[in-house]
């Protein structure tokens, strides 16, 4: 914890002012068209192991958002230090996972009231975390299919749970974003396609229930990316990316990210694009390759 405190305090005083001016100058060197959000560890070779130093490095490179799936599990003082640093560099907080995800047994699909209450309790706790780190979006994954129930019953059970969760989130202006997952990396998940997410969001009918469209997952599950994004557009609040195959940075696989990003930019998307992927090379040069890849696919104006 002392490292975090030193990192935050290090930006104050005369030295801190000079350091900040240098960083502001560096940030002016490149401006992305979309709000790409790296995650902790993506630039550890360039910035060191401290999450605060990594945040500052991200800001130096022109990134204006940060994503952290495990934010809820961080100590409160670390959450606060992260929030302070993001505010200092005008960065937005992306998603964090709002609840325990059930990867191998039904929870929301089953309609079991105990499991539903467990989920809602975690949603309540996520509100406090979101307030602490200035997050507007939290990730929700409905979990495993219930093989003993017809799909229609499972959908009704999920919708009921999400309606109750929306009632918790709406007063705070927080949006749960439902993430459809592909069947290869996550076999057995209930929510897998964008049309299914669209159907559920329409049934919940709340501004606090939208879709997290992960382009990597949907390339595997259904392809036809731009038409499916267009069809689901009014219910999409957040994007995540990764190229396929491999789930590494754009330009390493088959997805034409320059065209996809141009489409969502031209549609006026002003939300966050989470960089939920690994680096194709596990070293400092690989980290520079990630930055350059985003500059390349973002150059569509």
């Amino acid at each position: 914890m002392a490292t975090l405190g030193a990192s935050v305090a290090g930006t104050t005083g005369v030295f801190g002012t000079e350091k900040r001016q240098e960083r502001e100058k560096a940030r002016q060197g490149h401006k992305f068209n979309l709000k790409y959000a790296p995650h902790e560890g993506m630039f550890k070779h360039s910035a060191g192991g401290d999450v605060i130093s990594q945040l500052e490095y991200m800001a130096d490179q022109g990134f204006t958002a940060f994503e952290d799936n495990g934010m809820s599990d961080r100590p409160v003082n670390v959450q606060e230090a992260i929030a302070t640093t993001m505010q200092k560099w005008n960065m937005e907080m992306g998603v964090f996972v709002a609840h325990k995800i059930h990867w191998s047994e039904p929870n929301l699909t089953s309609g079991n009231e105990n499991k539903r209450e467990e989920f809602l309790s975690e949603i309540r706790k996520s509100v406090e975390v979101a307030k602490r780190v200035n997050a507007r979006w939290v990730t929700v994954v409905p979990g495993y299919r219930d093989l003993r129930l017809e799909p229609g019953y499972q959908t009704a059970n999920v919708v009921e749970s999400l309606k109750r969760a929306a009632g918790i989130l709406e007063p705070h202006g927080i949006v749960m974003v439902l993430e459809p997952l592909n069947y290869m990396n996550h076999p057995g998940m209930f929510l897998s396609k964008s049309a299914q997410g669209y159907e559920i969001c329409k049934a919940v009918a709340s501004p606090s229930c939208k879709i997290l469209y992960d382009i990597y997952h949907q390339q595997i599950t259904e392809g036809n990316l731009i038409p499916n994004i267009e069809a689901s557009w009014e219910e999409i609040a957040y994007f995540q990316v990764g190229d396929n195959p491999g789930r590494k940075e754009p330009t390493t696989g088959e997805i034409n990210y320059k065209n996809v990003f141009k489409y969502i930019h031209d549609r006026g998307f002003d939300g966050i694009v989470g960089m939920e992927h690994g680096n194709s090379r596990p070293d400092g040069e690989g980290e520079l390759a990630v930055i350059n890849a985003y500059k390349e696919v973002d150059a569509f104006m």
Side-chain angles (χ1 to χ4, degrees):
M1 302 316 160
T3 304
L4 283 167
S7 298
V8 175
T11 60
T12 61
V14 175
F15 175 75
T17 300
E18 293 175 353
K19 188 176 181 182
R20 178 167 182 158
Q21 289 173 345
E22 290 176 2
R23 287 198 168 116
E24 289 292 349
K25 185 176 180 180
R27 290 186 68 183
Q28 292 170 6
H30 186 80
K31 181 176 176 59
F32 289 106
N33 292 301
L34 294 171
K35 299 173 184 176
Y36 304 111
H39 55 79
E40 183 183 11
M42 186 165 270
F43 301 120
K44 63 184 179 182
H45 293 283
S46 302
D50 174 34
V51 65
I52 300 300
S53 297
Q54 291 180 33
L55 275 169
E56 292 175 337
Y57 180 82
M58 294 170 194
D60 291 349
Q61 307 310 311
F63 294 109
T64 56
F66 173 66
E67 188 173 270
D68 187 35
N69 282 340
M71 181 66 80
S72 291
D73 296 325
R74 294 186 184 274
V76 169
N77 67 315
V78 178
Q79 295 174 5
E80 291 172 343
I82 289 171
T84 298
T85 304
M86 287 193 295
Q87 287 179 323
K88 185 173 293 184
W89 302 114
N90 297 315
M91 299 178 76
E92 293 184 44
M93 182 65 211
V95 292
F96 63 88
V97 177
H99 65 106
K100 175 185 176 181
I101 299 175
H102 289 254
W103 297 108
S104 59
E105 62 176 358
N107 62 320
L108 298 189
T109 55
S110 69
N112 181 288
E113 281 295 333
N114 290 331
K115 292 180 178 179
R116 177 176 286 158
E117 186 50 46
E118 173 192 84
F119 167 71
L120 295 175
S121 175
E122 291 168 345
I123 292 295
R124 293 184 189 98
K125 292 177 183 177
S126 75
V127 170
E128 298 309 311
V129 178
K131 288 180 177 180
R132 195 174 295 126
V133 299
N134 301 310
R136 295 167 53 196
W137 304 277
V138 296
T139 302
V140 166
V141 175
Y144 204 70
R145 292 182 313 219
D146 191 329
L147 301 179
R148 295 178 175 83
L149 289 178
E150 288 287 337
Y153 297 123
Q154 295 182 66
T155 298
N157 290 334
V158 169
V159 167
E160 178 59 28
S161 293
L162 297 180
K163 283 184 176 181
R164 298 191 194 182
I168 296 168
L169 297 171
E170 279 183 24
H172 306 284
I174 300 170
V175 181
M176 59 181 165
V177 283
L178 313 180
E179 183 176 11
L181 302 173
N182 80 72
Y183 57 88
M184 293 182 65
N185 296 120
H186 304 290
M189 290 291 100
F190 168 74
L191 182 58
S192 62
K193 293 189 175 182
S194 53
Q196 186 187 12
Y198 184 87
E199 176 187 24
I200 291 171
C201 287
K202 287 297 184 185
V204 175
S206 167
S208 285
C209 184
K210 296 295 179 181
I211 297 170
L212 189 172
Y213 192 103
D214 189 312
I215 295 169
Y216 165 75
H217 285 301
Q218 292 316 300
Q219 172 69 0
I220 294 171
T221 300
E222 59 190 17
N224 201 31
L225 293 171
I226 290 177
N228 282 323
I229 292 172
E230 181 178 15
S232 304
W233 184 260
E234 63 187 82
E235 298 297 336
I236 295 174
Y238 199 100
F239 285 94
Q240 286 180 330
V241 303
D243 218 334
N244 182 62
R247 202 173 189 178
K248 306 301 183 185
E249 69 267 19
T251 74
T252 58
E254 65 187 356
I255 301 174
N256 188 336
Y257 268 109
K258 184 178 287 188
N259 279 358
V260 176
F261 287 158
K262 183 179 188 303
Y263 175 80
I264 67 175
H265 178 270
D266 289 349
R267 287 293 301 261
F269 182 73
D270 191 41
I272 290 176
V273 179
M275 297 160 59
E276 198 185 37
H277 57 75
N279 298 359
S280 59
R281 293 173 52 187
D283 53 22
E285 290 298 315
E287 294 173 0
L288 292 177
V290 170
I291 296 167
N292 288 330
Y294 276 89
K295 290 180 178 179
E296 178 180 340
V297 295
D298 187 71
F300 48 71
M301 300 298 288

